[in-house]
Amino acid sequence: MIIEEKQKTQPIERLQVWEAFKQVRAGGKSPGVDGITIETVERNPRKYLYPVWLRMASGSYFPKPVRQAMIPKTDGTKRALGIPTVIDRVAQMVVTKKLEKLVDKHFSEFSFGYRPEISAHDAIERCRINCLRHSWAIDLDIKGFFDNIDHELMMQAVKRFTTEKYILLYVERWLKAPIQLKDGTIKDSEGRGTPQGGVISPLLANIFLHFAFDKWIGQILPKGRFERYADDIIIHCRDFKETTRTLEAITLRLKEYKLELNQSKTKIVYCHNSQKPQIPNVDVYSSFDFLGFTFKPRIVRVGGTFQMGFTPSISRKSQKRISDVCFKLKIHRMVHLTIDRIAAILKSRIRGWINYFGKFRRSDMHGLFRTLNFRLALWVRNKYRRFRRKHWYFAYKWLVDVSKSFPYLFVHWEYGFRP
């Protein structure tokens, strides 16, 4: 007897679930509250992915609580990161891909964050051009943006793009999903916030700020006067009066959407040169950080002449973060490995750092890789007995000779950052 499969109530195909899993597999590896890892799902996809499709297609899918993890920030504070289960991330990816096709074409061309075929380098290049055209900038910081997104306003924004019932159904369930704190207690969403580690959260952030900020800012400033990457926003103004007027208007606008500025991190920046104007009762800065780069006055070469510009290069915070990664790897203790094996371990990391931070003023990474070369010299001293009782200079000189004989052994040596 052949039993016909009942018609599913939601238009979700099995192939969509499988493609979503492949994308999740390439992302974060941390498990959620159930402890199920990506490797576990990959070994038995029928056991874990097939029920996801059945439940999503029938409208009976409900997400599990989100595991909260506290991530240290560069300023010493900690940021709450919400980690859904692997199964929930797959389900979110299914809806994200469908919703992204509907909303992305409506987004502003000056919104760069988490969009297909648009990178952070595009935002930084646009910011560099605007800093040359305009003398003033506002470095906006929204206080706890992901933690304070209002659910009712969020759903209203999503409904303006789609009427698909399953999208609205699951977005609302993910917004309302409880949070499991570090001590194991369960906390309700309280009508606001979206987990910053969720797959769909960046898209929801773009939708929310599309209405709260992007469309509105175009009405009070000429086109193209801002760059936004998720909740990182830089606004450009012609003079100080326009800057203060714009900042006051933004403060009122965000209050309408139940958000507020972080006054301690929001800055007014003078972008013309290093001689910032003295304005009573107002702190004026001469630099700002954006997407891991520091924008500040620098001497640049234009044609055959040198002049003052306001350009980006790798920030001190980014250099410190990379140095911390190198320290935690404990390269100098890997004396059981050969130097080519050390190079293989560092290869993908170094190439990623150079490809991202070396896009603008690569020469400013020299100090960072000099520190890495000294760490390699310490490995040489620990590895070979003949250097242990000698001055570190001899181990460093040995590394110099190796870099001359094998200039492509380490990735940063290829780019001229040799000892």
Side-chain angles (χ1 to χ4, degrees), residues 120-170:
H121 287 157
D122 296 324
I124 296 164
E125 174 63 17
R126 183 69 194 178
C127 187
R128 185 189 69 83
I129 293 172
N130 272 329
C131 286
L132 295 176
R133 293 177 178 174
H134 309 289
S135 297
W136 293 83
I138 304 173
D139 179 12
L140 283 185
D141 186 277
I142 301 176
K143 188 175 182 179
F145 171 68
F146 283 90
D147 297 330
N148 292 304
I149 293 179
D150 185 78
H151 291 175
E152 184 178 350
L153 294 175
M154 184 74 257
M155 291 307 302
Q156 291 177 11
V158 176
K159 288 176 183 178
R160 295 179 69 173
F161 285 118
T162 181
T163 57
E164 288 277 4
K165 290 184 179 180
Y166 78 96
I167 293 179
L168 300 176
L169 175 70
Y170 293 134

Side-chain angles (χ1 to χ4, degrees), residues 174-367:
W174 285 317
L175 289 174
K176 294 181 178 180
I179 299 172
Q180 185 186 71
L181 303 180
K182 194 173 182 180
D183 59 2
T185 58
I186 302 297
K187 177 184 175 183
D188 293 332
S189 63
E190 299 177 349
R192 58 189 176 90
T194 178
Q196 197 164 348
V199 172
I200 201 171
S201 295
L203 181 60
L204 294 181
N206 278 338
I207 293 174
F208 193 86
L209 287 175
H210 172 72
F211 294 107
F213 182 82
D214 295 355
K215 293 184 68 176
W216 170 81
I217 197 68
Q219 299 173 3
I220 66 170
L221 286 178
K223 184 179 180 181
R225 289 274 203 92
F226 77 96
E227 301 85 32
R228 183 176 67 79
Y229 195 96
D231 60 330
D232 292 332
I233 306 172
I234 305 295
I235 301 170
H236 304 271
C237 301
R238 293 170 302 187
D239 51 48
F240 180 72
K241 288 184 178 180
E242 185 180 62
T243 303
T244 55
R245 187 171 63 249
T246 302
L247 189 56
E248 290 174 0
I250 291 171
T251 303
L252 296 175
R253 176 66 176 181
L254 291 179
K255 283 184 179 179
E256 296 178 12
Y257 283 81
K258 302 181 181 180
L259 297 172
E260 60 178 313
L261 290 178
N262 188 333
Q263 299 296 338
S264 62
K265 294 185 178 180
T266 297
K267 301 192 298 186
I268 295 177
V269 185
Y270 184 60
C271 305
H272 188 61
N273 55 49
S274 58
Q275 301 298 319
K276 59 185 179 182
Q278 300 297 320
I279 299 175
N281 303 321
V282 177
D283 292 329
V284 177
Y285 296 82
S286 58
S287 67
F288 64 86
D289 286 359
F290 184 51
L291 302 179
F293 289 81
T294 295
F295 285 76
K296 70 177 185 179
R298 310 174 199 271
I299 296 176
V300 295
R301 184 170 183 173
V302 180
T305 62
F306 291 92
Q307 62 186 36
M308 185 65 73
F310 199 86
T311 56
S313 74
I314 182 172
S315 68
R316 288 186 178 274
K317 290 181 180 179
S318 299
Q319 293 186 54
K320 184 180 183 303
R321 179 171 53 82
I322 294 174
S323 296
D324 289 343
V325 170
C326 294
F327 175 76
K328 290 177 181 178
L329 286 174
K330 303 294 182 184
I331 302 169
H332 60 286
R333 294 183 180 178
M334 298 181 182
V335 294
H336 58 291
L337 301 177
T338 59
I339 192 169
D340 58 328
R341 181 58 185 154
I342 298 292
I345 292 172
L346 296 174
K347 181 178 180 180
S348 60
R349 293 177 183 269
I350 296 176
R351 193 171 298 280
W353 295 331
I354 292 178
N355 287 344
Y356 184 75
F357 294 107
K359 182 72 173 180
F360 302 92
R361 293 182 68 92
R362 185 187 296 161
S363 59
D364 285 4
M365 301 182 73
H366 183 79

Side-chain angles (χ1 to χ4, degrees), residues 24 66-67 79-85 88-90 92-93 96 114 146 174 194-205:
V24 169
V66 177
R67 180 172 66 87
R79 172 172 56 92
L81 184 69
I83 304 176
T85 65
D88 288 338
R89 296 207 292 270
V90 172
Q92 288 186 22
M93 184 64 74
T96 297
Y114 306 103
F146 283 90
W174 285 317
T194 178
Q196 197 164 348
V199 172
I200 201 171
S201 295
L203 181 60
L204 294 181

